[in-house]
Amino acid sequence: MAINPTWTPPKPDQKGWTIERHILEGQLAAKGATGELTALLQQITLCTKIIASRVNMAGLADVLGLTGETNVQGEEVQKLDDLANNILIRTLSRGGKVCAIGSEENDEPILVPDGYPSGKYVVMFDPLDGSSNIDVNVSIGTIFGIHERRSPAGGKASAKDLLQAGGRQVAAGYVIYGSSTMLVYTTGQGVHGFTLDPSVGEFFLSHIDIKIPDYGKIFSINEGNSVTWEQPVRSWTDWLKTPSDDQRRPYSARYVGSLVADFHRTLLKGGVFAYPADKKNTSGKLRLMYEAAPLALLVEQAGGTASTGTERILDIVPTELHQRVPLYIGSKSDVADALRFLNG
Ligand code: AFP
């Protein structure tokens, strides 16, 4: 049979690609990529598979319950948090790709141990976000953000490597340990979601180029805090609950109390998640570097918005590792509505 000269191979259906393949294809498409980010992302992926297996076995393996210690935020540390934190720190600090790590569970940044190469990247993570939900079998997650170091390669990391604006992240993502385990990540080429097939221990591409709807029907906020909110926040949530002629309102309320779970729903279905500043916590509760900034990169890549109420999250240059920020994140129109109330 004669070959048709105009034939080109069909674009492969990327659904079902393994995460390794997807990351590697991204590297091949990126000009000047050296493979180091690919290797780092693969190390993180491996860690989250191990964490997922431990989370699934939590009840059986007797790892539930409190260690009795408190972390730097003054919160009780649960055993699974420790486990997830140790898995990530041990793997990444000795993996040759990072020069420093910032973790929610550690007061100070973690530098590469003596004798190991000091790599090109800085990783920030919340190893097990939503840990107060562990004991009640509700979804929890791991959030990570990656920056390229700014100090010369090979040497010790410095403060300028750690304290970089979220807009400089080269990759960010999260894993949600829920009814299934999903990894969602971006390297600035769209947002892609992978579902773990536990029978083979591999993440397969299930959600290609996720785009957040321009507006949704769900708002997500801890209304139990409403007495301490400033009036504009109360007026905004009252407005969301008030029926409108165009049927867009009232919004439904959903609040899991695990940021990863609330964000994941918001990303897929649209709507808005908020953790405002209030009279008690003037900077809000959530942490900039390993909660707000990674999710902000993801939401912007998906076509949404992330703001403190007055400032784009990705523009904030941190002054400390565990800095807190108010957060309004989600669909473009829904966050714009919130900002309209806040900025009056
Ligand atoms: P925990 O890890 O202590 O459960 O905190 C979870 C979290 O940082 C974030 O995942 C939630 O969105 C938020 O706190 C919930 O906070 P409230 O319990 O104050 O609503």
Side-chain angles (χ1 to χ4, degrees), residues 111-130:
L111 301 180
V112 170
D114 288 344
Y116 287 88
S118 180
K120 189 176 163 187
Y121 294 102
V122 177
V123 182
M124 300 284 156
F125 54 75
D126 184 348
L128 215 54
D129 180 69

Side-chain angles (χ1 to χ4, degrees), residues 9 19 34 66 75 91 132 146 193 195 202 221 238 244 246 259 274 286 300 315:
I19 190 153
T34 58
L66 305 176
E75 301 157 335
T91 307
S132 59
I146 304 175
T195 304
E202 185 56 282
I221 191 165
D238 287 345
S244 63
D246 63 5
L259 178 60
L286 300 178
E300 286 203 4
D315 286 342

Side-chain angles (χ1 to χ4, degrees), residues 75 81 104 126 128-133 222 225 255 257-260 262 273 275 285-287 291:
E75 301 157 335
D81 304 42
E104 193 214 13
D126 184 348
L128 215 54
D129 180 69
S131 48
S132 59
N133 279 320
N222 185 346
N225 293 335
Y255 191 76
S258 286
L259 178 60
V260 172
D262 283 316
F273 170 90
Y275 208 111
K285 175 185 180 189
L286 300 178
R287 271 66 64 149
E291 292 186 310

Side-chain angles (χ1 to χ4, degrees), residues 168-244:
R168 297 182 62 97
Q169 290 170 110
V170 293
Y174 62 86
V175 176
I176 178 165
Y177 311 104
S179 48
S180 52
T181 297
M182 268 193 77
L183 185 150
V184 177
Y185 88 108
T186 185
T187 53
Q189 301 168 15
V191 177
H192 308 284
F194 299 77
T195 304
L196 182 68
D197 179 344
S199 62
V200 288
E202 185 56 282
F203 283 108
F204 292 101
L205 183 58
S206 52
H207 297 63
I208 300 173
D209 199 15
I210 299 169
K211 292 293 174 208
I212 187 168
D214 188 42
Y215 60 88
K217 286 279 293 173
I218 297 173
F219 75 110
S220 188
I221 191 165
N222 185 346
E223 289 224 56
N225 293 335
S226 61
V227 283
T228 59
W229 291 344
E230 300 292 349
Q231 189 53 46
V233 182
R234 286 198 225 183
S235 305
W236 170 56
T237 52
D238 287 345
W239 177 81
L240 287 170
K241 292 180 279 187
T242 308
S244 63

Side-chain angles (χ1 to χ4, degrees), residues 5-290:
T6 61
W7 184 86
T8 49
K11 200 169 183 293
D13 180 5
Q14 301 172 4
K15 258 200 180 160
W17 276 14
T18 64
I19 190 153
E20 267 79 16
R21 166 98 190 265
H22 194 267
I23 292 171
L24 187 66
E25 296 273 351
Q27 176 200 321
L28 297 174
K31 248 190 166 163
T34 58
E36 295 206 56
L37 182 60
T38 299
L40 175 56
L41 286 167
Q42 286 173 346
Q43 290 171 12
I44 294 173
T45 303
L46 173 65
C47 292
T48 62
K49 284 189 212 170
I50 299 170
I51 297 168
S53 75
R54 301 297 186 272
V55 168
N56 289 341
M57 290 191 322
L60 293 170
D62 192 30
V63 290
L64 287 179
L66 305 176
T67 59
E69 294 160 22
T70 53
N71 70 9
V72 60
Q73 320 293 345
E75 301 157 335
E76 285 176 316
V77 177
Q78 298 192 293
K79 283 183 183 172
L80 265 180
D81 304 42
D82 278 346
L83 206 70
N85 197 35
N86 290 340
I87 289 167
L88 281 158
I89 290 174
R90 285 203 196 123
T91 307
L92 302 184
S93 65
R94 293 162 171 80
K97 304 301 168 203
V98 305
C99 59
I101 292 170
S103 165
E104 193 214 13
E105 300 293 342
N106 295 71
D107 203 349
E108 298 296 329
I110 298 123
L111 301 180
V112 170
D114 288 344
Y116 287 88
S118 180
K120 189 176 163 187
Y121 294 102
V122 177
V123 182
M124 300 284 156
F125 54 75
D126 184 348
L128 215 54
D129 180 69
S131 48
S132 59
N133 279 320
I134 295 171
D135 285 344
V136 288
N137 220 345
V138 169
S139 300
I140 48 181
T142 298
I143 309 175
F144 63 90
I146 304 175
H147 286 93
E148 210 169 303
R149 70 184 298 171
R150 301 184 76 183
S151 61
K156 254 196 166 26
S158 67
K160 71 176 175 194
D161 297 320
L162 285 144
L163 302 177
Q164 300 191 53
R168 297 182 62 97
Q169 290 170 110
V170 293
Y174 62 86
V175 176
I176 178 165
Y177 311 104
S179 48
S180 52
T181 297
M182 268 193 77
L183 185 150
V184 177
Y185 88 108
T186 185
T187 53
Q189 301 168 15
V191 177
H192 308 284
F194 299 77
T195 304
L196 182 68
D197 179 344
S199 62
V200 288
E202 185 56 282
F203 283 108
F204 292 101
L205 183 58
S206 52
H207 297 63
I208 300 173
D209 199 15
I210 299 169
K211 292 293 174 208
I212 187 168
D214 188 42
Y215 60 88
K217 286 279 293 173
I218 297 173
F219 75 110
S220 188
I221 191 165
N222 185 346
E223 289 224 56
N225 293 335
S226 61
V227 283
T228 59
W229 291 344
E230 300 292 349
Q231 189 53 46
V233 182
R234 286 198 225 183
S235 305
W236 170 56
T237 52
D238 287 345
W239 177 81
L240 287 170
K241 292 180 279 187
T242 308
S244 63
D245 291 341
D246 63 5
Q247 316 284 317
R248 268 190 60 191
R249 293 178 283 127
Y251 275 47
S252 290
R254 297 279 186 278
Y255 191 76
V256 176
S258 286
L259 178 60
V260 172
D262 283 316
F263 178 77
H264 187 63
R265 183 199 54 250
T266 306
L267 182 67
L268 297 185
K269 297 200 166 188
V272 56
F273 170 90
Y275 208 111
D278 59 39
K279 290 174 190 152
K280 238 177 31 205
N281 306 302
T282 50
S283 300
K285 175 185 180 189
L286 300 178
R287 271 66 64 149
L288 172 63
M289 305 218 42
Y290 39 79

